[in-house]
Amino acid sequence: MFLTLEGIDGCGKTTQAHLLVERLRETEKSCGGVVWTKEPGGWPGGEKIRDLVLRDGLEHPLSELFLFLADRCEHVLQVIAPALKEGKIVICERYTDSTLAYQSWGRGLPLEKIEELFRWCGFPSPDKTIWIDLPAPAAYHRMAGRGRMDRLEEEGTVFLEKVRSGFSFLAERDRGRIVRIDGEKDISGISAEILDTVLAFLHQ
Ligand code: TMP
């Protein structure tokens, strides 16, 4: 099973991904294992691309897009596809929906072109996607409390709200796959809802 977690910066994805991995490792002992990974940078050597794409310096939205795609090609080839082949549950923080929400809604690149590139790259589709939805001001407030921000985080609430509307569109369009979770609830409430959704899907 290939599961992705999505949402704007500061929505609580990383905390929730770790809680989910922990719970699944306890409850799903009979499966082939649970692999946690993330984008960008979730493959050996991937930190270099992560650094390049999140630090200052890029000005062209297409350079940003192609770096995320290059990162994903290696990530799929070296980490995701082998783990899925071995029957493991793969939990990935950010994947194709982030590219659509950030690079299309956020940067204005055409959705259909990006999706055409996904098909050309042969990226596997997630079986289930959890979208942790949080309004941009609340997410921004959380990030500001954490200290230094990266290039995309510094874009501010207007940008994040555009990205959020991208996730909202995708959740409506792909409603069989994407499940919206209210990110304004407390950590344990969100975690329980995510676990219920995932277990229901795993044991259907
Ligand atoms: P992270 O800090 O949550 O790992 O995310 C890194 C940043 O990269 C975040 O601002 C979202 C952005 N991003 C894109 O813009 N497009 C993508 O395809 C991916 C995977 C991430």
Side-chain angles (χ1 to χ4, degrees):
M1 170 173 165
F2 182 24
L3 186 95
T4 58
L5 269 111
E6 296 281 8
I8 59 172
D9 300 80
C11 72
K13 225 173 354 71
T14 304
T15 307
Q16 292 301 333
H18 285 109
L19 288 170
L20 179 64
V21 169
E22 227 172 72
R23 305 267 151 78
L24 285 179
R25 283 188 177 145
E26 286 162 14
T27 58
E28 303 303 297
K29 290 213 171 74
S30 58
C31 78
V34 182
V35 171
W36 167 83
T37 187
K38 66 164 189 190
E39 292 196 354
W43 50 282
E47 277 302 314
K48 283 186 195 148
I49 287 200
R50 185 180 168 90
D51 238 42
L52 194 62
V53 76
L54 297 184
R55 271 213 251 137
D56 297 339
L58 296 182
E59 288 184 10
H60 202 301
L62 284 173
S63 336
E64 192 179 87
L65 171 71
F66 288 127
L67 282 172
F68 283 119
L69 294 182
D71 175 72
R72 186 162 305 135
C73 284
E74 291 305 323
H75 190 211
V76 166
L77 185 77
Q78 299 192 34
V79 177
I80 297 174
L84 292 175
K85 209 169 159 199
E86 287 169 20
K88 295 182 173 154
I89 298 175
V90 175
I91 294 172
C92 184
E93 265 180 69
R94 297 200 181 284
Y95 190 63
T96 44
D97 296 302
S98 274
T99 315
L100 297 175
Y102 280 81
Q103 276 62 58
S104 186
W105 273 265
R107 299 293 194 214
L109 297 175
L111 180 77
E112 61 288 351
K113 283 266 181 234
I114 303 180
E115 292 200 304
E116 198 179 323
L117 287 167
F118 289 171
R119 284 190 291 277
W120 188 44
C121 293
F123 297 143
S125 289
D127 297 302
K128 207 81 198 157
T129 296
I130 304 290
W131 167 41
I132 305 175
D133 182 29
L134 191 65
Y140 202 75
H141 184 73
R142 280 191 199 171
M143 277 191 295
R146 287 200 303 236
R148 202 183 173 280
M149 295 190 198
D150 66 38
R151 195 173 60 81
L152 277 141
E153 288 169 344
E154 276 172 356
E155 289 284 347
T157 50
V158 174
F159 177 78
L160 281 185
E161 208 49 61
K162 280 197 235 169
V163 173
R164 183 184 178 214
S165 66
F167 282 124
S168 173
F169 171 90
L170 295 167
E172 180 61 31
R173 188 191 72 172
D174 299 347
R175 65 182 90 85
R177 171 176 63 88
I178 304 179
V179 176
R180 177 189 175 273
I181 305 276
D182 180 0
E184 289 191 287
K185 288 191 183 160
D186 62 20
I187 291 180
S188 59
I190 296 174
S191 164
E193 210 178 321
I194 293 178
L195 187 66
D196 284 351
T197 306
V198 171
L199 290 180
F201 182 71
L202 267 176
H203 300 295
Q204 70 189 353

